[in-house]
Amino acid sequence: QYSLVRDVVSALKRHRMHEQQFLHPPLLVLGNFGAQARMELRLTAGMFQGMFPAINVHRVNLNSVRRCLLISYDAESQLLQFRH
C-alpha cells in the first residue's frame, strides 16, 4: 500500500511543503537489516544506501536534517515497510 504526495499534502491541515526540504538528502535509517542477514537483505540494504549520499555524522548539522527515510524489514512476513 502507498499514498501519493499530493494525497498526503491535500490531507494536511497546515501545508508545510516547500522546495528547500528537498535540497538535502534524507537521513536513511535501516531497521532489521543486521550483519548476519541473508545475502538478499544485504544486497537490498546496499541498494538503498546507494540511492542516497552518505551523511558524515561528525559534521552534519542536525538542524539541516529535515527528512528521514525509515526502511524496516519484517522477517516474519518478509515485507519491507517504508516511512518518509
Side-chain angles (χ1 to χ4, degrees):
Q1 297 176 351
Y2 65 93
S3 299
L4 298 175
V5 172
R6 66 174 177 245
D7 296 332
V8 173
V9 170
S10 66
L12 294 174
K13 291 182 181 178
R14 284 183 277 159
H15 299 281
R16 295 181 57 189
M17 299 286 293
H18 50 86
E19 290 140 16
Q20 293 175 350
Q21 285 180 301
F22 300 102
L23 292 178
H24 301 288
L27 178 66
L28 178 63
V29 179
L30 297 174
N32 300 326
F33 285 89
Q36 305 299 328
R38 296 187 324 255
M39 188 61 165
E40 314 78 65
L41 285 179
R42 286 187 277 169
L43 181 63
T44 304
M47 180 194 70
F48 285 121
Q49 289 171 342
M51 290 173 67
F52 304 101
I55 295 175
N56 186 342
V57 295
H58 299 292
R59 291 186 178 179
V60 69
N61 180 4
L62 292 179
N63 292 330
S64 69
V65 176
R66 296 288 180 204
R67 298 181 299 140
C68 181
L69 176 62
L70 171 65
I71 303 171
S72 180
Y73 176 70
D74 184 12
E76 186 175 309
S77 64
Q78 296 184 351
L79 293 174
L80 292 173
Q81 296 179 1
F82 294 84
R83 184 168 182 122
H84 181 236

